[in-house]
Amino acid sequence: MSILLIEDDQWLGECYVDWLAKAGFAPHWVRSAQEALDVLAGTSFSAIVLDLFLPQANGVQLLGMLASYEPMPIIVCSGALPPKSVDWRAYGVVATLDKTNLTRPQFVAAIKAAV
Amino acid sequence: MKGNNKVLPNDVLAAAAHELKAPLVLMRHLVQTLDEGTLLSATERQQHIERLAFTTDRMLRLTQHLTASYRIDHDDIKFALEPLNVSLLCEQALHEISPYAAAHGQILQFVSKKRGQLVLAQRDMLHDMIINLVDNAIRHNGGGDRVVVDVFGRSNYVRLRVHDNGFGVPPSELRTLKQNIGVRPQPFNARSGTSGLGLYIVGQLAQAMGAQLGVGRARKGATFFVDLMRSRQMSLL
């Protein structure tokens, strides 16, 4: 199952790619919202893992843009999640992960549950 | 100039917390992965250890620079500016940070048409400023692979410029960045998840030396520069 990982930090991105690959997923990693949109124009994924702080358009803006794409489960993975009052489900978000407390088993479990 | 650009302490505190969080998250992930042991090859294990070391060094550097920035703003420190060869200091700083750049897959390049440009500065502050600007470029060079530092003289100042070839600063945010650069940490969504703390520190150091931090336009990537006071010592020799 292919997973689109959107994470701008190089070493964190490589870490999550490693976690995904070793859990049996096929990760496709991009580092910006625009790269994500470019990839999504021609490919669909089993799920999207999305960081919120991104260069150019940020993750929340990207969530709005994704509304016009084929629906895919989205997992927000951020070190600074906005207030819980945000209605993530309206954006197609099935899970939110707080990077500051995240472990590899939790990360993998959340993606398995999403797909 | 001291006290003219007072920033709400909470702004800097929030920026520092944000800036330290990302490397701490990375370190936590790396330690967890190392702890699992069997999932890693020997090469991966070595790479994780190197990244832990680089990240620790970077965090220590950041806290040292934060302390220096605080002291500039709050203590009545007297320091003397001296004529310094900015090209030489650039080369030394780039040599120092090149292993960190290489670990990020980034090439560092130094360009100076005229070597031996003398500026009036404080050695440690100028060094910290260069390191911060290059570190900033390395970390926010998504989509790019090169950081170029160049130095060129004008009549009254010498411009030290750091340019990357990554995503750059969105035009819509360039104006805000120009207004806030070096004066206060920028909004968290301004550039690639950064709080702008590194640039704020550079701005503090620059101001203390009578220099000026700025952001330039670039067709690709981002350009930041510092205009340093030119030393006239050479013309007297």
Side-chain angles (χ1 to χ4, degrees), chain A residues 8 10-12 14-16 18-19 22 31-32 35 53-56 58 79-80 99-104, chain B residues 18 21 25-26 28-29 32-33 36 39-40 44 51 54-55 100 103-104 142 167 170 188-189 192-193:
Chain A
D8 71 306
Q10 185 182 345
W11 288 351
L12 273 178
E14 288 180 15
C15 184
Y16 296 144
D18 184 52
W19 286 1
K22 284 179 174 156
R31 296 178 66 172
S32 73
E35 281 183 294
F53 289 115
L54 296 168
Q56 302 164 328
N58 64 39
K99 281 181 187 173
T100 53
N101 299 313
L102 188 64
T103 64
R104 189 183 62 83
Chain B
H18 180 82
K21 190 189 280 182
V25 164
L26 175 67
R28 194 169 188 271
H29 288 359
Q32 278 179 35
T33 312
E36 290 171 349
L39 290 170
L40 293 175
E44 287 173 327
R51 288 181 177 185
F54 279 130
T55 308
Y100 178 72
H104 277 84
F167 296 126
F188 287 148
N189 62 352
S192 189

Side-chain angles (χ1 to χ4, degrees), chain B residues 35-36 53 60 91 112 121 127 145 149 177 186 202 213 224 236:
Chain B
D35 196 37
E36 290 171 349
L60 284 171
E91 285 174 333
S112 178
H127 168 270
D145 61 356
V149 179
L177 183 58
Q186 64 203 59
V202 172
L213 169 66
F224 295 94
L236 298 176

Side-chain angles (χ1 to χ4, degrees), chain B residues 208-223:
Chain B
M209 294 189 292
Q212 183 76 40
L213 169 66
V215 54
R217 284 186 174 276
R219 285 179 63 193
K220 180 169 167 53
T223 299

Side-chain angles (χ1 to χ4, degrees), chain A residues 2-111:
Chain A
S2 58
I3 308 292
L4 178 62
L5 170 67
I6 310 167
E7 166 62 63
D8 71 306
D9 186 285
Q10 185 182 345
W11 288 351
L12 273 178
E14 288 180 15
C15 184
Y16 296 144
V17 163
D18 184 52
W19 286 1
L20 287 166
K22 284 179 174 156
F25 295 107
H28 185 104
W29 174 32
V30 296
R31 296 178 66 172
S32 73
Q34 187 55 53
E35 281 183 294
L37 293 173
D38 290 345
V39 169
L40 285 166
T43 318
S44 66
F45 294 87
S46 303
I48 297 173
V49 179
L50 173 65
D51 182 23
L52 291 182
F53 289 115
L54 296 168
Q56 302 164 328
N58 64 39
V60 176
Q61 291 168 320
L62 180 60
L63 281 171
M65 297 176 204
L66 290 176
S68 59
Y69 285 74
E70 180 188 337
M72 280 170 257
I74 298 167
I75 297 132
V76 167
C77 183
S78 174
L81 289 168
K84 289 184 177 172
S85 57
V86 173
D87 182 10
W88 292 109
R89 285 173 302 177
Y91 292 104
V93 174
V94 295
T96 55
L97 299 174
D98 181 354
K99 281 181 187 173
T100 53
N101 299 313
L102 188 64
T103 64
R104 189 183 62 83
Q106 286 170 345
F107 181 78
V108 172
I111 291 159

Side-chain angles (χ1 to χ4, degrees), chain B residues 85 87-97 123 127 131:
Chain B
N85 182 335
S87 298
L88 193 62
L89 271 168
C90 278
E91 285 174 333
Q92 289 169 350
L94 291 189
H95 178 72
E96 188 181 316
I97 204 167
R123 182 178 295 274
H127 168 270
I131 292 281

Side-chain angles (χ1 to χ4, degrees), chain B residues 119-179:
Chain B
V119 298
L120 276 177
Q122 203 274 340
R123 182 178 295 274
D124 291 342
M125 285 187 184
L126 182 52
H127 168 270
D128 291 352
M129 218 164 62
I130 299 165
I131 292 281
N132 257 301
L133 283 170
V134 175
D135 175 277
N136 186 61
I138 290 169
R139 286 186 308 116
H140 302 297
N141 201 13
D145 61 356
R146 188 173 297 269
V147 176
V148 179
V149 179
D150 63 11
V151 171
F152 56 93
R154 291 285 184 262
S155 55
N156 293 322
Y157 63 88
V158 173
R159 178 163 288 186
L160 188 163
R161 197 167 54 173
V162 178
H163 176 71
D164 65 60
N165 61 346
F167 296 126
V169 183
S172 58
E173 283 155 9
L174 200 59
R175 181 184 288 180
T176 311
L177 183 58
K178 280 182 175 175
Q179 287 169 347

